[in-house]
Amino acid sequence: MDLITGLTMLDLSRFQFAMTTIFHFFFVPLSIGLGIMVAIMETMYVVKGDDVYKRMTKFWGRIFLLSFAVGVVTGIIQEFQFGMNWSRYSRYVGDIFGPALAVEALVAFFCESTFLGLWMFGWDRFKKGVHLLFIWLVALGSAFSALWILAANSFMQNPVGFKIDHKFGRAVLVDFPALLTNHQLWLEFPHVLFATMLIGPFVIIGISAFSLLRRKDNIDFFKKSVHIASAVALVGTLGILITGDSHAYNVQFDQPMKFAAMEGISENVGGKDKQQPWSVVAYTNPKTHETEWSLDVPYLLSVLAHHDLTGYNKGSETINKELHEKYDKKFGKDMNYYVPSNTLFYAFRVMAGVAGVLGLLAAVAWWFTRAKSTFDITKYRWVLWIFGIATFIPFFGTTAGWLITELGRYPWIVYGVLTIADAVSPNVSFASLFISNIIYFLTFTALGGVMIYLSRRVMIQGPDYVDEEVDDEQAPADPFSADSFDEKGGND
């Protein structure tokens, strides 16, 4: 009971938004990644004419459809958050978020959903090339949808193209193209897109591994699936390393407090002709905001942060003083500009570690599923178990990355413009918010369970499963047809 009474409206609102965002973000990159994989497999079918790739397309397409459906449902719940718990935020930035979300919903989503329907029901109705075009348009539509969502999020990280209407107390969009030229967007978007190229492929690798553990048929089918997925995952790993490096490099200038937390820097480090050590593990006291202990590797932070053997970065204490000097007139002297350092520090290492582990597993999977490989991966159950468990590893990486993105912006919901405390709805009761948190949690648990159950069912049915079609001779007669009336003596 003490725990409940200690919670505030702001705490519950933030928890609910974090819960819905994290759960929704399980399925967004999954559906984008699986869409890319299915499009690649169908491309190989059209180019090579081998029916095994058609079977792959249809089998993995069923998993893709499940992830797409759950992603849509969780996305609708996510949209509710703006009106339910963050009405002040919606009013303040509605002129900016409105166009971005409208384009996402009316153009991107309708594009992907329309062509997805044509792809689902058009196997025998369109030529191969046209049918292939549909799934690529779905994949491109999903990426385009993510672009606009991330454009809105990038505005929250680095607000551009607006002015403040002081009369009505709200932000007004004055430069729409600025949303798409925001440098933050082009740091986030490619990084997220390459992350989808890890999640989708590793779900295919994992399900293939579990299938090989439980069945002795379709071995070639699943080995080829692993080979294609691991090749795409290697591309995703390389892309994540490049875009992640660029993203982290720019954080130290755009949001220095976030960077200081990610690297566990409480005091200024480095300088002219001085090296910067990188902390493998560290602990920052949440009360004093001082890093009490750490295990360091010399020079490594200089290399990572400045691509040099020397460099300089301000610590959180110096940054906090500078933020107070800059924003005290607007937000007051009582503002707390410190972010949750330990959470960001270890989230960053989890994110980077997951990418490294998945890259290594992808390389092993690709090498040992080659046609010329002398290593039969199906004979080693412990290897298959590792790949099966790897199904879930990417989700830890994307969740950690999202926590860095959102928690590192504290105390603002729009960086330097609107605080989180000023964005929460003023007229939502504590009881309704507490109950809705419980309902949402149970809903997400049920949706997650349904997704896992149906995916497992598809896996058990295997690639040879075909929906039973009702034979014309066995089809039930139309009770209102003329023949039915004749048979029943209706025309006597």
Side-chain angles (χ1 to χ4, degrees), residues 30 288 343:
L30 174 60
T288 63
T343 302

Side-chain angles (χ1 to χ4, degrees), residues 231-372:
V232 175
L234 285 173
V235 175
T237 302
L238 180 61
I240 281 179
L241 291 176
I242 296 172
T243 58
D245 175 71
S246 178
H247 203 346
Y249 177 81
N250 281 273
V251 166
Q252 61 188 312
F253 308 110
D254 295 337
Q255 298 178 3
M257 186 66 84
K258 178 192 290 187
F259 183 84
M262 286 165 51
E263 301 299 352
I265 305 172
S266 60
E267 298 180 354
N268 300 347
V269 61
K272 186 177 180 180
D273 299 327
K274 292 183 179 181
Q275 64 90 17
Q276 295 174 281
W278 183 78
S279 300
V280 181
V281 292
Y283 174 74
T284 300
N285 190 313
K287 295 182 179 180
T288 63
H289 307 291
E290 295 179 357
T291 303
E292 295 188 349
W293 58 264
S294 63
L295 176 62
D296 301 333
V297 178
Y299 291 97
L300 190 53
L301 182 57
S302 300
V303 174
L304 294 175
H306 301 283
H307 303 158
D308 200 345
L309 293 178
T310 62
Y312 170 75
N313 283 100
K314 297 174 182 177
S316 57
E317 294 179 2
T318 300
I319 297 169
N320 181 59
K321 293 177 182 178
E322 292 180 349
L323 290 173
H324 272 288
E325 291 175 0
K326 184 176 181 179
Y327 292 111
D328 274 0
K329 289 184 178 180
K330 183 176 181 180
F331 297 105
K333 298 180 180 180
D334 296 330
M335 286 292 293
N336 175 23
Y337 294 108
Y338 287 103
V339 298
S341 299
N342 292 312
T343 302
L344 267 65
F345 180 87
Y346 286 104
F348 181 67
R349 278 143 187 80
V350 167
M351 180 183 65
V354 164
V357 169
L358 293 180
L360 178 62
L361 289 176
V364 171
W366 181 84
W367 183 258
F368 289 115
T369 53
R370 293 173 303 132
K372 297 181 180 180

Side-chain angles (χ1 to χ4, degrees), residues 61 89 105 172 174-175 192 221 248 250 271-272 276 283 312 385 484 486:
Y89 166 76
V172 178
V174 295
D175 187 2
V192 169
F221 174 93
N250 281 273
K272 186 177 180 180
Q276 295 174 281
Y283 174 74
Y312 170 75
W385 270 110
S484 296
D486 289 338

Side-chain angles (χ1 to χ4, degrees), residues 4 33 38 53 68 87 103 136 172 174 187 231 234 245 297 319 332 349 362 369 385 388 401 429 457:
I4 297 177
V38 171
Y53 297 112
F68 185 88
S87 61
V103 173
W136 275 113
V172 178
V174 295
L187 294 171
L234 285 173
D245 175 71
V297 178
I319 297 169
R349 278 143 187 80
T369 53
W385 270 110
S429 68
R457 183 178 177 184

Side-chain angles (χ1 to χ4, degrees), residues 46-360:
V46 172
V47 172
K48 294 188 174 184
D50 191 341
D51 280 345
V52 69
Y53 297 112
K54 182 178 181 180
R55 293 172 64 215
M56 284 183 188
T57 303
K58 288 190 172 184
F59 178 76
W60 298 113
R62 294 169 66 191
I63 306 292
F64 164 60
L65 292 173
L66 289 173
S67 67
F68 185 88
V70 177
V72 170
V73 175
T74 57
I76 293 172
I77 297 174
Q78 172 78 357
E79 294 283 353
F80 286 163
Q81 300 295 300
F82 296 117
M84 289 176 56
N85 304 336
W86 306 97
S87 61
R88 284 175 174 167
Y89 166 76
S90 299
R91 179 184 178 277
Y92 195 88
V93 299
D95 190 63
I96 298 159
F97 259 50
L101 296 184
V103 173
E104 187 273 333
L106 298 177
V107 179
F109 177 72
F110 276 96
C111 172
E112 56 184 318
S113 57
T114 298
F115 288 111
L116 182 60
L118 290 171
W119 180 80
M120 288 171 56
F121 302 108
W123 276 100
D124 300 321
R125 293 175 174 82
F126 297 97
K127 294 181 179 180
K128 290 182 180 179
V130 175
H131 191 265
L132 173 63
L133 177 63
F134 292 153
I135 190 61
W136 275 113
L137 288 173
V138 172
L140 291 174
S142 298
F144 190 58
S145 179
L147 175 69
W148 287 101
I149 295 298
L150 291 174
N153 183 266
S154 295
F155 175 83
M156 298 165 68
Q157 307 292 335
N158 180 49
V160 294
F162 76 106
K163 69 176 183 180
I164 301 297
D165 184 343
H166 295 285
K167 180 179 180 181
F168 295 101
R170 57 194 295 268
V172 178
L173 183 64
V174 295
D175 187 2
F176 183 75
L179 293 179
L180 292 178
T181 57
N182 188 346
H183 76 273
Q184 180 68 28
L185 172 61
W186 297 105
L187 294 171
E188 285 189 26
F189 178 64
H191 193 58
V192 169
L193 198 60
F194 281 116
T196 69
M197 296 171 67
L198 273 182
I199 293 182
F202 263 93
V203 166
I204 289 177
I205 292 172
I207 292 178
S208 295
F210 282 129
S211 297
L212 290 171
L213 279 168
R214 61 174 290 113
R215 60 197 310 154
K216 299 301 180 182
D217 59 337
N218 293 300
I219 292 177
D220 185 60
F221 174 93
F222 288 113
K223 286 179 68 175
K224 283 187 175 181
S225 295
V226 170
H227 191 67
I228 297 170
S230 58
V232 175
L234 285 173
V235 175
T237 302
L238 180 61
I240 281 179
L241 291 176
I242 296 172
T243 58
D245 175 71
S246 178
H247 203 346
Y249 177 81
N250 281 273
V251 166
Q252 61 188 312
F253 308 110
D254 295 337
Q255 298 178 3
M257 186 66 84
K258 178 192 290 187
F259 183 84
M262 286 165 51
E263 301 299 352
I265 305 172
S266 60
E267 298 180 354
N268 300 347
V269 61
K272 186 177 180 180
D273 299 327
K274 292 183 179 181
Q275 64 90 17
Q276 295 174 281
W278 183 78
S279 300
V280 181
V281 292
Y283 174 74
T284 300
N285 190 313
K287 295 182 179 180
T288 63
H289 307 291
E290 295 179 357
T291 303
E292 295 188 349
W293 58 264
S294 63
L295 176 62
D296 301 333
V297 178
Y299 291 97
L300 190 53
L301 182 57
S302 300
V303 174
L304 294 175
H306 301 283
H307 303 158
D308 200 345
L309 293 178
T310 62
Y312 170 75
N313 283 100
K314 297 174 182 177
S316 57
E317 294 179 2
T318 300
I319 297 169
N320 181 59
K321 293 177 182 178
E322 292 180 349
L323 290 173
H324 272 288
E325 291 175 0
K326 184 176 181 179
Y327 292 111
D328 274 0
K329 289 184 178 180
K330 183 176 181 180
F331 297 105
K333 298 180 180 180
D334 296 330
M335 286 292 293
N336 175 23
Y337 294 108
Y338 287 103
V339 298
S341 299
N342 292 312
T343 302
L344 267 65
F345 180 87
Y346 286 104
F348 181 67
R349 278 143 187 80
V350 167
M351 180 183 65
V354 164
V357 169
L358 293 180
L360 178 62

Side-chain angles (χ1 to χ4, degrees), residues 466-481:
V466 178
D467 293 327
E468 295 183 2
E469 296 182 2
V470 180
D471 187 18
D472 290 339
E473 296 180 359
Q474 298 177 349
D478 181 359
F480 298 103
S481 66

